[in-house]
Amino acid sequence: MEGDSRRRRRVTHQRRRRLNTRVLLTGVVVAVLVLGVSLTIVISTIRSNSVQAVTAQTPKPTVKPTPTPTPLSPVEQLLADANDPLACAVVFAGEGIADAPILQHQGTLYAALPIPAQEGMAFGGWYATPESAAAFDPASRINGADEVVCEDQSIELFGSWMPADQNAAAGTEVPILMYHQFTSRPEGEDGWLRGNYAYIGDFDAQMNHIATTGFYMPTWDELSAFIDGRLYLPPRSVIITDDDADQTWFDLAVPVVTAHKVLTTSFMITAYRQDPAPSIYVQRRSHTHDMHQAGANGKGRMVNWTADEIAADLNISGDVLGVREVIAYPYGHFNDTAQQGVAQAGYAMARTIEPGTVTIGTDKYALPVVRIDYGMGLDALINRIG
C-alpha cells in the first residue's frame, strides 16, 4: 500500500513538473512574441518618424501655373502672320478715323489705302504728321504714288476732314494726260501717226516738272471718290496715262518714269500683249482685250457690239490684268451701250479722248483728257496744267 502511494505521488510530481515546463515554455514563447511585436512597433515608429522628419526637411517642389499668353495687338498679329522682314503695318489715326491697320510691303507703292467717309465731309487724305493733316499739306500727303518706307515694320498715317462745301469751293480740276508712242528723234517720226509720237526729251522735261514742282498724283480710286465729292484733292493734281503699251513706251518712257518716280497708267490691249508691270510706278489698266479694231460700221468694236459682248471682252482683260477699275475706250469711241457694258463688267470708270479736266460730278464713264502730241514741249504742258 505504501509503495503504491509513493508511486502515485511520484507520477503526480512528474506530471506537475511537465505541466510547469509547458507553462514556462508557453510564457517564454508569449514573451518572445510580445517582444517581437513591440520591436516591430518601435521600428515602424522610428521609420515613420524618420520619414516624416526627412519629408519635413525636404522642400516640396513649387508647381508654377502655365502662363496665359498675352494676346497680340492687331499690328503684331499682322506682322506675325506675314512673317516677312519687309512687311509694314500701317496704322491710321485722326478724329473720326476707325480704320483697322493694314499690311503693306517696303519696296512697293502703297496699295488700297482706305478712304473713310463722313456725312457732310470730304476726306482730306493721309499725311505723315497730324500737323500736315490739319494743313492739308500736299507735300506730306501719302497715297499710292508713294513708296512704302517704315521703321520697325510699322508706320502711322494721319487723316483729316474738310467740309463738303469747302471741298467744292476749292475748284480742283484734275488733268488726265494722254500719251501714245515715243521717239528718240527730235525731228519726230514720219507718217500719218507722227502726231502720236512724243519726243522723249520733251517727256523727260515734263515728268521732271511734275516730280519737282509740287504736283499730287491721285490713284484711280481717289479720283472716283473725288468725283463723288467724298475726297479732297489738291489743286495741283495730275494723272499720267499711256495708250496701247507700245514698245516705245517700254523702251523709252518707262526708264524716265522710274527715274522721276511718277505714278503712271499704261492702258494695255491684252489680246496683243500682257507684259508684267515694267516698274513699280506703272499701273496696268485695260484698253479692252480685243476691241481695238474697227467694227462693221468702220468705228471701233466698242460701239458695234452689244453690252453683253463688251462686258465679256472686258472680263477677259480684267482677269488678265487682275484689276477692274478703269478702261480707256479704243479710239475714244463710246456710246450708251458701251458705258452699259463697262459697268456690267464691274469697271468703275472709263476714259475718253474728249478734251477737258475732271471735276466733282464728272461722268465717271466719260472722263476727259489732255492729249499730248509731238512738238508739245514743257512750255506747252505748263500752259495746259500749270
Side-chain angles (χ1 to χ4, degrees):
M1 294 291 291
E2 186 177 352
D4 292 336
S5 178
R6 282 199 294 273
R7 281 196 297 273
R8 286 195 294 272
R9 285 196 299 271
R10 191 169 47 252
V11 169
T12 300
H13 178 70
Q14 290 174 349
R15 288 177 177 171
R16 287 178 178 172
R17 189 168 57 188
R18 286 195 295 270
L19 179 60
N20 290 339
T21 300
R22 290 174 181 170
V23 170
L24 180 60
L25 289 173
T26 299
V28 171
V29 170
V30 170
V32 170
L33 290 174
V34 170
L35 179 60
V37 170
S38 298
L39 287 173
T40 300
I41 293 172
V42 170
I43 291 171
S44 296
T45 302
I46 292 173
R47 286 178 177 173
S48 177
N49 291 339
S50 299
V51 170
Q52 291 177 1
V54 171
T55 301
Q57 295 174 3
T58 303
K60 295 181 179 179
T62 302
V63 179
K64 295 182 179 180
T66 302
T68 302
T70 303
L72 296 178
S73 69
V75 167
E76 292 170 333
Q77 190 65 60
L78 278 176
L79 296 174
D81 292 342
N83 192 27
D84 181 353
L86 294 180
C88 179
V90 182
V91 180
F92 304 103
E95 183 180 352
I97 305 297
D99 294 88
I102 63 173
L103 193 69
Q104 303 283 301
H105 289 83
Q106 297 187 70
T108 65
L109 303 186
Y110 282 96
L113 291 178
I115 302 176
Q118 190 176 125
E119 187 69 28
M121 304 293 283
F123 183 61
W126 298 111
Y127 299 85
T129 66
E131 294 75 20
S132 57
F136 305 105
D137 178 16
S140 297
R141 185 161 170 171
I142 293 173
N143 74 334
D146 298 298
E147 187 174 344
V148 178
V149 178
C150 64
E151 296 181 2
D152 299 325
Q153 294 191 277
S154 180
I155 188 171
E156 188 172 27
L157 300 182
F158 300 88
S160 59
W161 300 94
M162 176 183 290
D165 57 353
Q166 181 181 342
N167 181 40
T172 299
E173 298 182 17
V174 182
I176 300 176
L177 305 185
M178 180 179 66
Y179 294 86
H180 283 85
Q181 289 83 26
F182 298 84
T183 178
S184 58
R185 300 172 60 189
E187 69 276 15
E189 297 295 320
D190 299 325
W192 69 278
L193 286 178
R194 172 182 173 85
N196 273 3
Y197 283 82
Y199 171 52
I200 195 63
D202 291 334
F203 182 70
D204 184 39
Q206 291 164 355
M207 294 304 102
N208 179 67
H209 174 70
I210 290 171
T212 60
T213 59
F215 277 90
Y216 181 75
M217 288 166 279
T219 55
W220 292 105
D221 61 335
E222 286 184 306
L223 187 71
S224 179
F226 165 74
I227 292 171
D228 292 338
R230 298 186 294 109
L231 179 73
Y232 164 74
L233 288 181
R236 288 169 60 81
S237 294
V238 64
I239 293 176
I240 306 161
T241 72
D242 166 77
D243 279 15
D244 306 335
D246 184 78
Q247 191 59 44
T248 59
W249 160 254
F250 289 91
D251 295 342
L252 299 177
V254 168
V256 172
V257 164
T258 304
H260 292 296
K261 299 182 177 181
V262 289
L263 183 67
T264 59
T265 296
S266 176
F267 287 111
M268 301 183 72
I269 309 165
T270 52
Y272 299 166
R273 65 188 313 160
Q274 301 177 7
D275 308 61
S279 166
I280 64 171
Y281 294 98
V282 176
Q283 305 176 97
R284 302 184 309 160
R285 296 297 184 267
S286 177
H287 204 17
T288 76
H289 179 65
D290 197 18
M291 286 192 284
H292 205 288
Q293 300 186 46
N297 64 358
K299 293 187 176 181
R301 287 179 172 178
M302 180 67 78
V303 292
N304 278 270
W305 286 4
T306 67
D308 287 344
E309 290 172 325
I310 292 169
D313 176 277
L314 291 175
N315 278 326
I316 296 173
S317 184
D319 289 342
V320 169
L321 299 175
V323 60
R324 285 168 171 78
E325 190 174 50
V326 61
I327 75 148
Y329 294 117
Y331 314 116
H333 296 165
F334 70 100
N335 56 19
D336 291 345
T337 301
Q339 292 177 321
Q340 180 184 344
V342 172
Q344 188 173 314
Y347 291 77
M349 293 174 290
R351 201 220 64 198
T352 71
I353 62 170
E354 301 299 318
T357 55
V358 178
T359 62
I360 293 174
T362 293
D363 184 349
K364 291 185 181 181
Y365 292 108
L367 302 178
V369 300
V370 173
R371 180 184 176 95
I372 307 297
D373 292 324
Y374 172 75
M376 293 177 60
L378 177 59
D379 289 342
L381 180 76
I382 292 175
N383 287 338
R384 293 200 176 194
I385 71 171

